[in-house]
Amino acid sequence: MSGSTTLLPIAEVAGEMYGESHPGVSILVSGMGSSAGIESVSTGSSDIGTSSRELKEAEYELDLADTPVAYDAIAVIVHPDNPVRELTTLEIRSIFAGVITNWSELGGPDLEIGLVNRDEASGTREAFSKIVMGDARFDLGAVILPGTGQVRAVVSDIPGAVGYISLGFVNDDVRAVAVDGIEPSEAAVVAGDYPIQRVLHFFTHGEVSESAVAYIEYVLSPAVQDSVVRDAGFIPITAKEVHGG
Amino acid sequence: MAEPLETKRAPQAGAARTLKMMSRATYIQEALLKNLFLTCAIAAVAGVALIFFFVGFRGWPVIEDPGLAAFLFGSEWSSTFGKFGIGPLVTGTLVVTIGALVFGAPLAIGTAIFLSEIATPTVRGIVRPAVELLAGVPSVVFGFFGLVIVRPFVAELTGSMGFGPLTASLILAVMIVPTIATLTEDALRSVPPGIREASYAMGATTWQTIYKVLVPAAKIGIFDAIILGMGRAIGETMAVVMVAGNAPQFFEGLGAPIATITSQIVIDMSYASGTHRTALFGLAIILFIISMGLVAIVRALSRLNAKRS
Amino acid sequence: MGKRWTNRIALGVLWLCGITTVTMLGAVILYVFVRGVGQITPEFIFTKPHGVNAEGGIGPTIIATMYVTGLSMLIVTPIAVLAAVYLAEYAVQGKLVDAIRFAADTLASVPSIVMGLFGFALFVEAMGLGFSVLSGALALSFLMLPIVMRATEEAIRAVPKYIRWGSYGLGASKWQTVSRIVLPSALPRILTGIILAMGRAVGETAVVIFTMGQAVYLPLSPLDSGRSMTVHLYMLAMEGINMDAAYGTALLLMVMVLFFNLSARWLAARNRRLQG
């Protein structure tokens, strides 16, 4: 399988776990990007193409079968003591572009906004950029931290800080704000109401080998969905059934 | 790293030549072996050449795209927009290095003087190992320390988030203390004891002896030490990535995030491709040239020192 | 009068320098120890990490670190020792020797990240070795070469001349003298240099991450990729999710480096005692 680096943790670990219970099957995972993954599965050089984005128009012709495996929702987090509890997408964009620089402009205290961004290699940043920022550029003066845990730790420590992490990693140390009036919760994500989210896909092409089918089923089973997917900060696709979405 | 040694003509060679009772076979064997050793010694030179060649080769295309001037003098580094000007990165490295020297050099030199002139053998037995062990702590550990202990402190001080040149300089200062201290101590030790005795005999206090006599006498060695400490600070990566904030912008304040050459390479390398990757190799070769330049300076100074004494 | 006071103050400041340095070391070590010691269980040392956030142990990383360090030791020692023999016994002052020394000093000062990119460009890509223990070992050996070279050269020079005279006087050739008399006599110091170099290699991150890679599996053949303790620590610290494992790894790493450094000092001290 090849494709998105965002899916790499799930694919690798699930692959390892699958390999342990199914000796003789080896799962090779590589992460060259969603586009590369889609292309390689359509030409047959991979059994499964992983992608963190939807298919583009031109790619519909490739006749791929889509198996969604998880939701990736991104929460915008602030310090727990920060009274600002909801923001619009426009406001978030303005904050991260460096246009709004003080919480007082948003109805909060007179406190400078401490921008925390992710490094450019991050899938989370890529998603956030596409969904929230659009064409706007990130403020050049934002602090760039190379990992989710660091973003969370810093935001929990600095009263004026704001950052973004996968929803699955939000804990009591930080507060996730409501976006466009929607509180970030699993139910809201599954229902499609929470705006900052995307779906992670496994794409397959034509006839799929037995072992590939078995592996995909394995990834969709609770053994993977409730452990690996959640550990990676994503929301299981199976949550749909739980929340009736 | 102590001063480079110089060789004298091996006197044994003369002795061996007069004992010409060697068979032809032994002579050939000796010649072959000598060439074997020579080849090994050249390995070092080959190594440097290889580094120059391979890193330079991978970075060479930067001359066309984005062009040497745009690369060297450009003021914007933003891979998403195809801009690869190293201006902010070089300034970042400069600021952070100077800061590290400002904090670290005095402390290191002071410690070295302490070790060499003032400490009793028991105390020396504690402090000197401490300095050596400090050199062995992995950089990531210093990064932790910086992130958890120094950053909040700097944040209080500057009213910012605490990521930036000040925090980075403080951490780097701690990291270069062993380098500068050990070399300075070596330099002080190589000052002949007679000079100290003469100074004391004239009624000078310890401090007067130190700053009027010893430090000037050892000053080239101390300067060497500082330069090598500088080299270490310039090349440090992991600790910087964790505390500097990594924003490729020019110096905006002690608490404003900043990126250095090394931090940018490490952060970008995992996903860079094409021109971006070439630019990173370009950065690496610049770093290599800088460190080679520093070594050349040290060697030239040592030669000066040797000539003088 | 004035000078007595200045003297006291100055000495006080210098004492402060010494104390500060020791305190810094103590603080760093204490910090890592306190946060990491809870992690050190046999499980941590011997099992492998599993899951997305590296729960479990760090066994494979310990093996990977020892593997790559050991391999690079094997590669670099013969070359460094023979090179030092040349410099100490055969070399004549001149341009060539200058160049060699300049090169050795340069190698010793190369920033690790440059060495890492170099290793990537040469061993991983150009030579096609891919991310592997071998690539890592080759890159590390460049870093270690100057350290072992210098230690060996100093060790050889420390062998008293009269021993060599005796050997030549008995009709031995140069090589016989070097191999049977000089080198064995210099061995303890050489060993000290090697151990110090290994301590340095164990602590390298940037070099290894670009040459050995990050695969968390146990490397068996030298062509397998692996993850060293330093790389694992770096990745854990960057992600920031599993900080416990990070501190545990940091502590073990420091213990390892400490072990190498202390062994080297002990060896050096013992050698000094024996040689008088």
Side-chain angles (χ1 to χ4, degrees), chain A residues 115 120 137 140-141 144 157-158, chain B residues 79 81 151 245-246 257 271:
Chain A
L115 260 190
E120 288 187 24
R137 298 176 64 161
L140 195 63
I144 294 182
D157 213 33
I158 301 178
Chain B
S79 56
F81 294 97
R151 184 202 60 78
N246 310 313
Y271 73 103

Side-chain angles (χ1 to χ4, degrees), chain C residues 5-270:
Chain C
W5 268 113
T6 339
N7 191 49
R8 277 217 194 119
I9 296 176
L11 290 193
V13 167
L14 290 175
W15 263 94
L16 205 63
C17 288
I19 295 177
T20 310
T21 309
V22 178
T23 314
M24 286 183 333
L25 175 77
V28 170
I29 292 190
L30 202 70
Y31 180 68
V32 173
F33 185 78
V34 161
R35 296 209 55 173
V37 76
Q39 291 294 306
I40 313 294
T41 61
E43 230 186 280
F44 189 68
I45 301 182
F46 293 113
T47 57
K48 59 189 183 84
H50 54 85
V52 180
N53 295 315
E55 306 294 332
I58 62 170
T61 64
I62 301 181
I63 307 272
T65 300
M66 300 201 294
Y67 197 165
V68 79
T69 308
L71 187 59
S72 77
M73 232 34 264
L74 280 158
I75 296 176
V76 95
T77 308
I79 302 180
V81 168
L82 295 181
V85 167
Y86 179 77
L87 285 176
E89 299 281 329
Y90 294 85
V92 169
Q93 178 86 303
K95 287 230 164 73
L96 180 61
V97 170
D98 273 352
I100 295 177
R101 293 199 190 282
F102 182 51
D105 286 347
T106 305
L107 280 184
S109 312
V110 173
S112 319
I113 192 163
V114 174
M115 200 59 100
L117 285 187
F118 163 66
F120 177 72
L122 176 58
F123 305 121
V124 175
E125 295 206 332
M127 282 174 67
L129 294 172
F131 287 115
S132 60
V133 178
L134 188 56
S135 299
L138 287 168
L140 278 177
S141 51
F142 275 91
L143 220 56
M144 307 219 279
L145 183 68
I147 304 178
V148 182
M149 249 173 87
R150 168 178 305 247
T152 309
E153 193 187 341
E154 286 179 8
I156 292 179
R157 285 179 190 282
V159 174
K161 298 225 168 75
Y162 62 80
I163 292 188
R164 298 169 215 254
W165 292 113
S167 173
Y168 291 130
L170 291 171
S173 73
K174 192 155 190 129
W175 171 240
Q176 284 172 328
T177 310
V178 166
S179 62
R180 291 178 206 217
I181 310 285
V182 178
L183 280 183
S185 170
L187 197 61
R189 282 184 140 106
I190 299 181
L191 230 53
T192 308
I194 293 182
I195 295 180
L196 279 176
M198 284 176 89
R200 164 92 198 262
V202 163
E204 277 298 327
T205 318
V207 179
V208 183
I209 203 173
F210 290 122
T211 50
M212 193 159 79
Q214 318 168 333
V216 86
Y217 312 113
L218 194 70
L220 290 170
S221 91
L223 290 175
D224 286 340
S225 172
R227 185 188 294 188
S228 72
M229 288 164 74
T230 43
V231 172
H232 190 61
L233 174 59
Y234 175 64
M235 295 179 72
L236 286 174
M238 292 300 116
E239 269 311 302
I241 302 286
N242 190 354
M243 289 308 281
D244 286 335
Y247 283 108
T249 311
L251 186 56
L252 276 179
L253 194 58
M254 283 180 61
V255 167
M256 231 188 214
V257 172
L258 221 86
F259 169 70
F260 279 112
N261 284 344
L262 290 178
S263 308
R265 304 185 101 241
W266 174 82
L267 200 64
R270 178 169 165 273

Side-chain angles (χ1 to χ4, degrees), chain A residues 175-194:
Chain A
R175 180 184 307 127
V177 303
V179 179
D180 293 338
I182 315 280
E183 284 287 340
S185 69
E186 249 185 61
V189 173
V190 168
D193 294 332
Y194 184 73

Side-chain angles (χ1 to χ4, degrees), chain A residues 75-98:
Chain A
V76 176
I77 52 171
V78 294
H79 192 266
D81 292 342
N82 193 328
V84 175
R85 286 164 191 267
E86 65 170 277
L87 296 166
T88 65
T89 313
L90 182 60
E91 283 169 344
I92 299 176
R93 187 184 310 153
S94 310
I95 292 175
F96 278 90

Side-chain angles (χ1 to χ4, degrees), chain A residues 18 48 208-218:
Chain A
Y18 188 78
I48 304 175
V208 191
S209 72
E210 257 187 58
S211 36
V213 171
Y215 173 72
I216 296 181
E217 276 174 17
Y218 178 64

